Amino acid sequence: MILLISSVSIGVLLRNHDGLKRPLKKIAANKSAMLSMIILLFFLAVGLLDSIHFRAEGQRSSGVISVLDYCAKPLWQHTEKTYSAPFSAYLYSKEYITQDGGDKVWAFPRLQFGGSHLTNPESEKTSDLLSLLMTGLSKGLMLCMAGVGLRGLFVGKKSEQSARRYCPGFVCITISILIVGVAGLMELSMYYHIFGTDKVGEDVFYQTIKSIRTGLVIGSLTTFIMLPLAVIFGILAGFYRGWVDDLIQYIYTTLNSIPSVLLIAASILMVQVYMANHPESFTNLESRADLRLLFLCLILGVTSWTGLCRMLRAETLKLREMGYVQAAKVLGVKPFGILLQHILPNVMHIILIAVVLDFSALVLAEAVLSYINIGVDPSTYSWGNMINGARLEMAREPVVWWPLIAAFVFMFILVLTANLFADAVRDAFDPRRSQYGQ
Amino acid sequence: MPLGMHLIQGVVSMANSVLSVKGLSVQFQTHSEKVYAVDNISFDIFESETFGLVGESGSGKSISALAVLRLLPRSAQMSGDHVYFKTQDLLTLTETGMCKIRGRRIAMIFQDPMIALNPVKSIGSQIAEVIKIHFNLTAPDIHDRVLTLLRQVEIPSPESRINDYPHQFSGGQLQRIMIAAALAGEPDLLIADEPTTALDVTIQAQILTLLKSIQDKVGMSLWLISHDLALVSTVADRVAVMLKGCIVEVAPTMQLFKQPKHPYTQTLLAALPSFDSCSADTVLTRNILLEVKNIRISYPVRKGIFNRVVSHIKAVDGVSFSIQEGKTLALVGESGCGKTTLGKGLLNLVADVEGQVLWSGKDINGLKGDSLRRMRSNIQIIFQDPYSSMNPRMLVGQIIDEGMRSLHPQLSAKKRQAKVAELLQQVGLPVECAMRYPHEFSGGQRQRICIARALAVQPKLIICDEPTSALDVSVQDKIIVLLKSLQRHYGISYLFITHDLAVVAEMADELAVMYQGKIVESGPVYQVLNDPQQPYTQRLLNAVPKIVWD
């Protein structure tokens, strides 16, 4: 969690320190990029809220909840008995219900929380849903108005012009829509289970939101472990050739020749054994799950740097023969300077593309690994675990489809926005393409 | 019938025209505007005639050839009154109809045979493909025709080489094979788009002679597209000069060169470097700046599982020369003779340099670390390709600044900035360029930036590795003028590596001719160019296309 926060702050710092205003302006001018960035930031915010933990008495077995849990208390406190469909007021399976008269009926029982305020769900539900949605939307709208008003107050009239340039109407509208939509969903989720409930009656919407953090942690942490290895080794091997190249090549061909799933399985099992042998250091479930998550990131990072490393080595081999690298040598620039000034910026596009693809692939890889039970801890909320669970749910009759769809939708949005945003960033930082943009 | 048709079309000419183009335009749609690549051009090519089309890069020569064949990229729009090939209007012909024309009636050869031939198919099968498409022949007949064609383009022992792959041939041979493939359809018109630009001078001459002799035998028309006026003058009957998409002048070759009407043609002719420009009275009495004694550079050939060094390829084999202060030594040779390797060897850019490199009497060969870095500011280099020699992600200002920062760290940032501005002005670029990226400049401008970068560290010797060969004639001339004026101003010496003898005459004081890793002849430029002693030098000089004035 600390790592996540620090990585974000590094990103922000980099952004502020980079004197390159032109590319940033270009990103700002790209609508799909801004849209993806806002959604990504929203995801990030949710993940961050979920990462800030504090102790609250009598809330959970461990007594530790996150800010997100605090905000969305009804979501995790409203647990039903078992499956229920989205927006339903009834359970998904029939039970014997003792009626007022004392006779038992085989029917769908009412939910304990979802739609429990309704007396006659069949006739009232639609209008109730609409009215709830309207209240939610209007609350959101009011929030937006307040936001715009506040901005007007703070920015003042003088800098209005410059503010408009950096925060065009499009961004405001996107943020507003996002806020309004979220407010609507929040309002609804107070009284209904938007994505239904799972086998043990937990709200699926809550699970998907909690999974954002897991997805982000795995995606970004693994990338942060993998990236330095791949970049440093790849560039060094390509630039220095000789024994450095040989050594690095040996390392990654060896790593590549071991089936990575096997390696991951082995190390996860090792961690489990370690935790079993030292029960005194892992007193609660959360710390065990977190350790396992961290270790999964580490091992994923260590096994996944080879592909990028190989690409970078090949590109560096090409670049080191380029005229400008030769010229830099003749100009007496030290090797380290050449690497930093000439090689690194010119392989940046490869790194960016690879990182985004890997980020997406890692979020997906987590799902695969969870599927064969060597992923994150089963108690950790993650899209992988949800999909893993859906394996059995899909086989049920009638089909329980909502956990899979919920996980899929959120995963899809995260991966798609990350891809779109990285595309825009790459284009903006490529000077050869900037001539067409303006 | 053809005669009747011609009368209807109103083409009044003494000979039958094979290709008659009228009012042809090609435009490209970019983001905001339409750009005319070819702007309303008209010309005729007659039977068994050689028609030369001359212009600088980007003038629309190749585009007009592609337009005639209707092979333009999608983004291009074509319009025109008519493009008659014999009696057919190619503008209104269907695509299937065009397929019967391309390759069969009109064939084309391209600049770079390495790219135009498919590397994974044998040359025989690539020529056979053309025959198979256009003629209904049996397999043995096709095989015989391929052999005949290969013999026609003078490939030695075609029977044994028919199944070889493109990489097994030299550049000149590949261009011959391309010609064979073009001839396979027995075309009435052969379009040759810069057919010799990628080749060495001696081979260039051979290919042209071959083209000419085949044309005499077969009687086809030849449309020769080139940037090289002198080359066109040796073969073409009529020449058209193209400027920015327009044909500015069409005239019979002799007339065009003797009485150029259009000012652009006049400047082109004036820009042509010629042998006469070197002066005979070069006095060589200055101090010797750099002396190279018996230098050898060889590349190890590794084989087997243990990568053992089994032999060496001698790229430079015992070369000695000296360069005087403020003078220019030109190093001339064909591609692969080791001249570029030699240049890089002097700069310690290649490993395993044997021999002595004396800089004002001190051996600088094999220097390492700090002493090497101190030497760096004395010798600089300018590369051939202005496109790959600058980091695309750095601003021009940073590029020029780089050397000063590393070799003269005592200079303050302000001083360096002032120096960058001064250098930019000196090489003829506006100061604002410092804040732009290299891709925003043309080839000639980029070469100017490279010169500024080399000058920034105040070198005494600049190695110019073919600095003008990637540039157009008129731009070439300007770069040479710039280099010479800088030499006068700073007293720099140049080691001028080139394959272009005409440039040498204008630029150099001394000349060394290199052949297969050795210097075969050297001396003052005037002497070597006018009275070559060695057979290789004579061959090289004879191969250079010269404008024949009478």
Side-chain angles (χ1 to χ4, degrees):
Chain A
M1 287 91 265
I2 297 162
L3 266 170
L4 189 68
I5 296 166
S6 65
S7 65
V8 171
S9 56
I10 285 171
V12 172
L13 276 178
L14 265 181
R15 199 139 292 198
N16 288 340
H17 278 260
D18 245 339
L20 302 161
K21 273 191 179 161
R22 242 198 303 191
L24 290 184
K25 267 187 202 160
K26 256 204 84 190
I27 297 175
N30 186 337
K31 283 189 178 173
S32 71
M34 285 314 277
L35 186 75
S36 334
M37 192 180 83
I38 291 163
I39 296 175
L40 268 183
L41 282 178
F42 177 70
F43 269 73
L44 216 61
V46 172
L48 277 178
L49 282 183
D50 201 13
S51 305
I52 304 165
H53 290 86
F54 60 88
R55 259 172 210 289
E57 287 312 309
Q59 304 277 14
R60 276 267 167 101
S61 55
S62 61
V64 178
I65 64 167
S66 74
V67 178
L68 185 75
D69 294 334
Y70 185 76
C71 294
K73 218 181 244 175
L75 281 179
W76 56 271
Q77 282 177 340
H78 294 179
T79 47
E80 311 288 350
K81 231 177 198 169
T82 180
Y83 293 118
S84 71
F87 295 117
S88 175
Y90 295 98
L91 270 186
Y92 202 59
S93 52
K94 287 187 174 177
E95 269 180 25
Y96 280 110
I97 306 168
T98 319
Q99 284 191 322
D100 297 338
D103 40 341
K104 287 184 172 178
V105 186
W106 179 246
F108 294 108
R110 286 291 298 272
L111 291 179
Q112 214 178 335
F113 299 97
S116 59
H117 59 292
L118 306 172
T119 45
N120 188 2
E122 281 79 12
S123 56
E124 292 170 19
K125 204 170 87 177
T126 327
S127 60
D128 185 56
L129 274 177
L130 277 176
S131 73
L132 277 177
L133 193 64
M134 288 320 285
T135 20
L137 292 184
S138 50
K139 273 185 191 171
L141 259 176
M142 269 154 67
L143 202 70
C144 289
M145 295 296 200
V148 172
L150 273 178
R151 188 181 143 236
L153 268 181
F154 278 115
V155 173
K157 272 191 182 159
K158 220 177 171 185
S159 53
E160 183 72 20
Q161 283 267 310
S162 65
R164 191 161 290 160
R165 208 185 312 141
Y166 291 107
C167 189
F170 177 76
V171 175
C172 290
I173 292 167
T174 319
I175 295 176
S176 308
I177 291 174
L178 200 67
I179 291 176
V180 172
V182 169
L185 283 179
M186 293 243 297
E187 194 67 27
L188 280 174
S189 65
M190 293 294 139
Y191 299 96
Y192 290 96
H193 301 295
I194 296 181
F195 282 126
T197 53
D198 73 348
K199 196 174 181 182
V200 292
E202 242 189 341
D203 192 289
V204 174
F205 183 54
Y206 174 70
Q207 289 182 348
T208 31
I209 290 181
K210 290 287 277 185
S211 304
I212 291 177
R213 170 172 166 263
T214 319
L216 285 177
V217 167
I218 291 201
S220 45
L221 206 58
T222 311
T223 314
F224 275 107
I225 294 166
M226 169 204 99
L227 206 57
L229 286 173
V231 173
I232 293 171
F233 282 166
I235 289 182
L236 287 184
F239 189 71
Y240 285 106
R241 311 282 311 271
W243 66 268
V244 183
D245 190 18
D246 286 347
L247 185 72
I248 292 167
Q249 277 198 68
Y250 279 129
I251 294 175
Y252 72 61
T253 36
T254 313
L255 253 180
N256 258 2
S257 62
I258 307 169
S260 60
V261 174
L262 216 64
L263 201 63
I264 294 167
S267 25
I268 290 293
L269 289 176
M270 259 165 55
V271 175
Q272 271 177 332
V273 170
Y274 177 79
M275 284 193 293
N277 290 342
H278 303 268
E280 67 284 353
S281 359
F282 306 100
T283 45
N284 57 25
L285 272 174
E286 271 85 0
S287 65
R288 277 168 179 247
D290 274 352
L291 183 76
R292 189 160 156 172
L293 179 64
L294 276 178
F295 205 76
L296 181 70
C297 292
L298 191 75
I299 196 71
L300 271 176
V302 170
T303 50
S304 62
W305 60 271
T306 52
L308 178 58
C309 178
R310 195 181 304 201
M311 267 196 285
L312 289 178
R313 174 180 169 268
E315 187 70 12
T316 313
L317 279 178
K318 193 186 97 191
L319 287 177
R320 72 191 289 274
E321 300 300 329
M322 293 294 271
Y324 52 86
V325 175
Q326 305 259 316
K329 270 187 204 165
V330 176
L331 288 168
V333 182
K334 288 177 180 149
F336 186 66
I338 293 180
L339 284 177
L340 225 55
Q341 273 275 353
H342 296 285
I343 307 274
L344 194 58
N346 282 298
V347 295
M348 217 55 206
H349 61 286
I350 296 183
I351 297 179
L352 254 176
I353 297 165
V355 161
V356 176
L357 287 179
D358 281 354
F359 178 85
S360 321
L362 286 166
V363 174
L364 302 176
E366 184 268 328
V368 173
L369 292 176
S370 299
Y371 186 81
I372 50 174
N373 269 329
I374 52 169
V376 292
D377 195 85
S379 71
T380 311
Y381 294 109
S382 85
W383 293 318
N385 276 340
M386 288 171 73
I387 292 170
N388 185 24
R391 168 158 65 137
L392 291 173
E393 287 158 1
M394 296 303 280
R396 276 176 65 106
E397 183 58 43
V399 167
V400 176
W401 46 268
W402 47 90
L404 182 70
I405 294 293
F408 169 75
V409 166
F410 272 68
M411 211 147 93
F412 178 73
I413 294 175
L414 178 65
V415 170
L416 182 70
T417 47
N419 274 314
L420 284 177
F421 185 62
D423 251 7
V425 171
R426 194 198 62 215
D427 287 354
F429 280 92
D430 188 347
R432 276 164 296 196
R433 293 197 62 163
S434 62
Q435 58 184 341
Y436 305 113
Q438 275 153 10
Chain B
M1 190 199 78
L3 189 66
M5 286 296 285
H6 277 295
L7 285 176
I8 294 162
Q9 290 150 19
V11 179
V12 192
S13 58
M14 54 287 161
N16 289 333
S17 89
V18 174
L19 187 75
S20 164
V21 176
K22 186 142 190 280
L24 180 71
S25 297
V26 179
Q27 57 191 31
F28 284 89
Q29 183 74 50
T30 63
H31 267 289
S32 47
E33 51 186 339
K34 281 181 179 170
V35 178
Y36 278 91
V38 175
D39 193 1
N40 196 12
I41 59 166
S42 307
F43 60 88
D44 289 271
I45 299 176
F46 301 110
E47 254 173 30
S48 349
E49 178 195 44
T50 303
F51 180 75
L53 185 61
V54 179
E56 301 193 344
S57 57
S59 62
K61 306 169 304 219
S62 298
I63 292 287
S64 44
L66 291 176
V68 165
L69 284 171
R70 296 232 316 257
L71 286 173
L72 290 170
R74 258 162 205 272
S75 55
Q77 286 174 331
M78 193 167 107
S79 59
D81 298 341
H82 66 192
V83 177
Y84 279 115
F85 174 69
K86 299 216 160 157
T87 56
Q88 277 170 307
D89 191 353
L90 299 185
L91 282 180
T92 54
L93 203 61
T94 57
E95 188 55 34
T96 12
M98 273 318 289
C99 284
K100 287 189 185 125
I101 298 271
R102 288 186 209 124
R104 173 71 182 86
R105 314 299 299 280
I106 308 178
M108 186 159 179
I109 47 182
F110 298 92
Q111 173 172 353
D112 197 343
M114 305 275 189
I115 299 167
L117 284 167
N118 187 343
V120 297
K121 284 173 84 181
S122 71
I123 56 130
S125 69
Q126 290 188 58
I127 299 173
E129 201 182 351
V130 185
I131 305 172
K132 231 179 277 173
I133 292 168
H134 295 294
F135 302 98
N136 198 6
L137 287 177
T138 56
D141 283 345
I142 292 177
H143 187 79
D144 285 345
R145 265 203 63 79
V146 172
L147 284 181
T148 324
L149 283 165
L150 287 177
R151 242 172 253 130
Q152 203 173 1
V153 295
E154 293 160 20
I155 296 281
S157 60
E159 290 83 2
S160 61
R161 304 220 62 183
I162 188 164
N163 288 324
D164 283 356
Y165 290 89
H167 70 268
Q168 291 165 301
F169 293 89
S170 70
Q173 281 175 322
L174 283 180
Q175 198 56 286
R176 283 166 193 270
I177 291 160
M178 280 299 295
I179 294 171
L183 292 175
E186 296 170 356
D188 301 311
L189 172 65
L190 179 65
I191 306 176
D193 188 0
E194 306 260 9
T196 58
T197 310
L199 306 173
D200 280 325
V201 201
T202 45
I203 295 160
Q204 184 174 320
Q206 289 166 13
I207 294 282
L208 280 182
T209 329
L210 176 76
L211 270 178
K212 206 60 190 162
S213 77
I214 290 174
Q215 190 195 12
D216 288 344
K217 252 182 263 168
V218 186
M220 63 180 179
S221 312
L222 181 64
W223 177 5
L224 182 69
I225 298 171
S226 178
H227 67 280
D228 192 342
L229 258 181
L231 179 129
V232 169
S233 78
T234 55
V235 281
D237 302 317
R238 284 188 312 137
V239 176
V241 179
M242 209 162 173
L243 171 68
K244 290 178 186 162
C246 304
I247 289 185
V248 293
E249 191 168 357
V250 191
T253 311
M254 272 314 108
Q255 195 186 328
L256 185 92
F257 287 130
K258 281 189 179 157
Q259 298 139 3
K261 287 202 185 76
H262 195 272
Y264 178 67
T265 318
Q266 290 162 4
T267 46
L268 265 189
L269 282 170
L272 271 183
S274 69
F275 288 177
D276 313 329
S277 52
C278 59
S279 55
D281 50 288
T282 359
V283 195
L284 301 169
T285 51
R286 309 242 188 142
N287 295 334
I288 286 176
L289 189 68
L290 180 82
E291 195 175 3
V292 172
K293 278 186 186 164
N294 201 19
I295 234 182
R296 284 168 204 280
I297 303 170
S298 52
Y299 293 115
V301 179
R302 290 170 192 275
K303 262 192 187 153
I305 17 173
F306 295 111
N307 257 343
R308 274 182 310 121
V309 180
V310 288
S311 64
H312 289 269
I313 294 175
K314 288 173 187 161
V316 179
D317 191 9
V319 164
S320 309
F321 60 83
S322 59
I323 300 172
Q324 301 177 355
E325 243 170 66
K327 291 286 172 188
T328 304
L329 170 72
L331 200 60
V332 175
E334 300 190 341
S335 58
C337 74
K339 53 191 195 305
T340 296
T341 311
L342 176 60
K344 286 187 175 171
L346 296 182
L347 283 165
N348 245 334
L349 285 178
V350 288
D352 306 325
V353 181
E354 290 169 51
Q356 278 185 311
V357 182
L358 300 173
W359 178 264
S360 341
K362 212 177 93 197
D363 192 0
I364 60 165
N365 184 18
L367 282 184
K368 281 204 176 77
D370 273 347
S371 43
L372 176 65
R373 266 164 56 79
R374 271 197 299 278
M375 266 316 293
R376 288 293 194 203
S377 62
N378 288 328
I379 312 179
Q380 281 300 312
I381 186 164
I382 300 167
F383 292 99
Q384 169 175 10
D385 182 8
Y387 292 91
S388 72
S389 59
M390 274 183 286
N391 188 342
R393 278 160 203 275
M394 280 167 82
L395 294 168
V396 167
Q398 293 175 318
I399 290 172
I400 300 175
D401 191 35
E402 191 180 21
M404 286 191 275
R405 236 179 11 208
S406 74
L407 291 178
H408 303 291
Q410 74 281 2
L411 292 175
S412 68
K414 238 185 185 166
K415 264 189 192 161
R416 290 204 312 262
Q417 218 171 3
K419 180 89 197 212
V420 168
E422 186 194 326
L423 282 165
L424 277 172
Q425 276 178 333
Q426 237 162 18
V427 296
L429 290 171
V431 181
E432 301 86 69
C433 291
M435 289 309 288
R436 287 160 68 183
Y437 285 103
H439 69 81
E440 295 168 54
F441 297 89
S442 68
Q445 287 172 321
R446 282 160 176 248
Q447 209 55 290
R448 284 168 192 269
I449 298 169
C450 289
I451 293 171
R453 170 174 68 186
L455 279 178
V457 294
Q458 296 158 349
K460 296 196 180 79
L461 169 69
I462 298 183
I463 298 174
C464 306
D465 189 359
E466 308 249 13
T468 58
S469 35
L471 307 174
D472 285 322
V473 187
S474 60
V475 183
Q476 243 178 44
D477 194 43
K478 283 177 192 147
I479 294 289
I480 288 177
V481 169
L482 173 69
L483 283 173
K484 281 171 90 170
S485 81
L486 288 172
Q487 185 167 45
R488 274 195 302 278
H489 190 258
Y490 287 109
I492 314 171
S493 312
Y494 292 122
L495 174 62
F496 201 87
I497 299 171
T498 185
H499 68 274
D500 190 349
L501 279 165
V503 175
V504 168
E506 205 151 303
M507 185 75 206
D509 302 301
E510 279 181 282
L511 174 63
V513 181
M514 210 166 160
Y515 181 60
Q516 291 183 346
K518 290 191 171 91
I519 287 182
V520 289
E521 185 166 0
S522 65
V525 170
Y526 185 80
Q527 190 188 316
V528 177
L529 285 186
N530 289 302
D531 185 22
Q533 299 299 315
Q534 297 297 319
Y536 176 73
T537 319
Q538 288 162 357
R539 198 140 50 89
L540 202 63
L541 282 170
N542 286 333
V544 176
K546 289 176 210 98
I547 291 179
V548 194
W549 293 101
D550 38 47

